[in-house]
């Protein structure tokens, strides 16, 4: 069975036309994109690397990695998001190969094909995140880099990521996140190790409502990122 939730796909598909509007529902992604790009580049050096962006959506991170000199493939299951991503290439002049395919299906076709695999802000939206983690591991070459970002599962995360972000600050549309699908770092690290990934960096991402800025740090109570290396 396809590891995708039709309700989640439809939710983001309906918003796809606003993906590149920095004042839209996707403003948080625009705000964090420079942070996550710098963090990824600092670990692997994107220039010249073959990169797969899993759950690429409208292509914010895919294009940013392409601008760093990476050869990027972006995959997603939303036709609308991929159409927006391809259309934006005409404006930006970047080169990204966008494909409609799941990580699991691509893993059966191109195992070990990528130096770098990114899966950002996606795991909390799929029915079986462990399956996605396994597919990402398969797609990375031995010694390659795999990056994840998602949301922790605890009362603080519910208060800030759901109540705060969706209902109080209205940074995101209501219903964007389902608390039951949030993932503890211990769970993500365990899934990674089971499929031959070696996590070596866990970084928290926090938001300051007074300054309106995000920052990376040691607080992984809410949003966090994980870098892992594929076993040789």
């Amino acid at each position: 069975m396809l590891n995708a939730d039709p309700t989640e796909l439809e939710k983001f598909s309906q918003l796809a036309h606003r993906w590149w509007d920095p004042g839209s529902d996707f403003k948080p992604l625009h705000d964090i994109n420079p942070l996550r790009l710098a963090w990824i580049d600092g670990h692997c050096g994107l220039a010249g690397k073959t990169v797969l962006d899993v759950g690429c959506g409208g292509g914010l991170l895919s294009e940013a990695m392409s601008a760093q000199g990476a050869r990027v493939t972006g995959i997603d299951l939303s036709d609308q998001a991929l159409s927006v991503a391809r259309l934006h290439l005409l404006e930006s002049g970047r080169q990204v190969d966008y494909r409609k395919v799941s990580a699991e299906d691509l893993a059966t076709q191109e195992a070990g094909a990528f130096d770098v695999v990114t899966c950002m802000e996606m795991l909390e939206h799929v029915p079986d995140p462990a399956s996605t983690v396994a597919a990402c591991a398969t797609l990375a070459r031995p010694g390659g880099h795999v990056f994840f970002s998602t949301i922790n599962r605890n009362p603080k995360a519910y208060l800030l990521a759901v109540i705060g972000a969706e209902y109080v600050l209205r940074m995101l549309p209501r219903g964007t996140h389902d608390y039951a699908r949030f993932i503890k770092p211990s769970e993500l690290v365990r899934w990674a190790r089971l499929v031959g990934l070696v996590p070596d960096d866990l970084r928290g991402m926090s938001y300051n409502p007074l300054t309106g800025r995000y920052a990376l740090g040691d607080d992984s109570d809410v949003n966090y990122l994980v870098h892992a290396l594929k076993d040789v």
Side-chain angles (χ1 to χ4, degrees):
M1 295 180 62
L2 191 64
N3 184 22
D5 183 334
T7 302
E8 292 287 291
L9 285 175
E10 179 61 23
K11 180 168 59 182
F12 287 101
S13 292
Q14 289 184 2
L15 296 170
H17 64 287
R18 305 191 67 189
W19 211 287
W20 284 91
D21 178 359
S24 72
D25 298 320
F26 295 106
K27 183 180 186 302
L29 289 184
H30 285 267
D31 290 343
I32 68 174
N33 208 43
L35 281 176
R36 60 185 185 175
L37 175 66
W39 179 73
I40 291 167
D41 192 37
H43 273 291
C44 67
L46 286 165
K49 296 292 195 303
T50 301
V51 179
L52 176 68
D53 188 15
V54 177
C56 64
L60 289 182
L61 182 60
S62 296
E63 279 205 19
M65 293 191 292
S66 174
Q68 294 294 111
R71 299 183 298 276
V72 182
T73 298
I75 64 172
D76 205 284
L77 293 175
S78 168
D79 287 309
Q80 291 88 336
L82 289 171
S83 293
V84 169
R86 293 183 182 115
L87 185 63
H88 196 267
L89 292 179
L90 301 177
E91 178 182 332
S92 68
R94 302 297 175 198
Q95 293 187 348
V96 180
D97 178 15
Y98 289 116
R99 308 182 198 174
K100 183 182 179 182
V101 63
S102 70
E104 287 85 353
D105 285 344
L106 189 62
T108 66
Q109 305 163 19
E110 299 190 36
F114 299 93
D115 300 317
V116 179
V117 179
T118 63
C119 181
M120 317 299 277
E121 287 80 46
M122 178 190 161
L123 292 177
E124 68 272 21
H125 296 288
V126 298
D128 186 356
S131 173
T132 301
V133 171
C136 290
T138 299
L139 287 157
R141 65 166 176 79
H145 301 261
V146 183
F147 298 89
F148 301 104
S149 67
T150 188
I151 306 177
N152 205 336
R153 189 176 71 254
N154 55 52
K156 180 179 176 181
Y158 177 74
L159 180 64
L160 296 182
V162 179
I163 301 301
E166 296 182 19
Y167 290 84
V168 179
L169 299 177
R170 298 183 180 180
M171 297 166 60
L172 299 168
R174 293 183 181 184
T176 296
H177 292 118
D178 178 356
Y179 174 73
R181 288 184 169 176
F182 290 179
I183 300 165
K184 293 182 179 182
S186 60
E187 295 169 335
L188 180 50
V189 166
R190 183 175 75 252
W191 297 336
R193 286 175 173 160
L194 286 172
V195 292
L197 296 178
V198 182
D200 76 342
D201 187 24
L202 190 153
R203 190 73 53 186
M205 181 182 292
S206 58
Y207 175 74
N208 186 329
L210 298 179
T211 63
R213 294 184 178 181
Y214 292 84
L216 298 183
D218 296 328
D219 184 358
S220 59
D221 288 347
V222 186
N223 298 85
Y224 67 95
L225 308 92
V226 172
H227 169 246
L229 292 168
K230 174 79 171 287
D231 269 345
V232 178

